[in-house]
Amino acid sequence: MSSSEKGPISREIYTERLLRYIYDWLVLGFNMKYLWRCPTKSVLLPFFKENFSANHLDCGVATGYFPAACLEGSGGSKPDEEQNQRLALLDFNPNCLRATERAILSRAGGRRCRPIDIERVEADVTAPLSATLQHAKFRSISMFNLLHCVPGGAAHKLQSFRTLGRVLEPEGGVLVGCTVLGEEYAARWWLSRLAVRHMNRVGMFHNLDDNREDIEKALGDAFEDVQTWLVGMTLLFKARKPRANL
Ligand SMILES: C[S@@+](CC[C@H](N)C(=O)[O-])C[C@H]1O[C@@H](n2cnc3c(N)ncnc32)[C@H](O)[C@@H]1O
């Protein structure tokens, strides 16, 4: 890629090398536990697993740690489900899409293996839906650790709730996610405060002013049923019943 084609650092940072050797232990291991105070293994992974279905869309994938962990050894979403696994992966970085597909194919499998249909969608989550997705409906959608990376302010990035609401099954569908909030939520932890400022200064994060109220409001505008929880400085959210006027 030439320098004139380069995108924001929050996209360029995800090189093959970072994804292969560094991302999982640094971002999901160290950062989630010690900086954002919301451990991956005890909080985020169980939350993802509870809401993963046989017809799932994962947005902002990086290494595919979460969907790969759900599918590990089963080749399908849940042992009691007979249907094939449909898994759409949406990301604006093709390295992340490739790394995730690789992780899923290498970790899923085993004797009870069911076919997994993986669809890669190279797209920006803040843009209108691509033709591939426009008429799709998913039973579950995830957006873990995505919004704090997206530049452009709350109004811009939170419109993705409306976009994703259009492709969620109206009855029984669930959208889940988590995002690190802005510096006011780091008041009690000096290391977290320094880290969130640093991440914003270098352009990896765009969340200095992100707050719970804006996110709850945007979720409520797009869905009838919304729940949020704060764990450390990370907001977890779950929404059902997309509004009819999306
Ligand atoms: C911090 S990683 C989170 C990955 C994974 N969900 C997790 O929790 O480990 C953010 C991911 O979102 C992608 N991403 C960031 N901004 C995006 C955007 N506007 N549209 C689509 N993908 C985006 C990045 O390429 C990266 O794969």
Side-chain angles (χ1 to χ4, degrees), residues 41-200:
K41 285 214 169 109
S42 57
V43 178
L44 294 184
L45 185 56
F47 181 47
F48 192 102
K49 281 187 171 172
E50 274 164 30
N51 294 291
F52 185 73
S53 77
N55 177 15
H56 188 92
L57 167 64
D58 189 31
C59 303
V61 296
T63 57
Y65 171 88
F66 290 104
C70 291
L71 293 169
E72 184 149 34
S74 76
S77 63
K78 298 208 174 118
D80 56 339
E81 283 179 355
E82 290 304 322
Q83 66 197 105
N84 290 356
Q85 176 70 49
R86 175 187 187 198
L87 178 58
L89 307 170
L90 182 150
D91 203 291
F92 64 7
N93 185 326
N95 292 340
C96 299
L97 293 170
R98 272 195 300 273
T100 296
E101 184 164 0
R102 221 172 24 233
I104 287 164
L105 295 178
S106 74
R107 287 179 71 179
R111 277 189 294 149
R112 286 185 322 215
C113 184
R114 284 186 295 280
I116 306 175
D117 303 324
I118 299 179
E119 249 166 276
R120 293 196 223 164
V121 183
E122 190 178 326
D124 188 321
V125 75
T126 62
L129 291 172
S130 64
T132 345
L133 283 187
Q134 250 167 32
H135 305 292
K137 285 280 182 248
F138 295 93
R139 183 83 178 165
S140 50
I141 299 179
S142 52
M143 44 192 323
F144 273 42
N145 295 316
L146 168 62
L147 291 171
H148 60 242
C149 301
V150 180
H156 173 70
K157 61 178 152 185
L158 299 182
Q159 70 188 337
S160 53
F161 294 143
R162 297 179 69 86
T163 311
L164 295 175
R166 291 186 201 119
V167 291
L168 185 68
E169 280 182 11
E171 291 304 320
V174 63
L175 173 137
V176 287
C178 64
T179 187
V180 178
L181 296 178
E183 86 175 296
E184 68 173 291
Y185 294 84
R188 288 192 287 144
W189 304 298
W190 65 270
L191 186 60
S192 310
R193 199 162 57 247
L194 288 182
V196 79
R197 284 183 190 156
H198 174 72
M199 299 289 202
N200 279 269

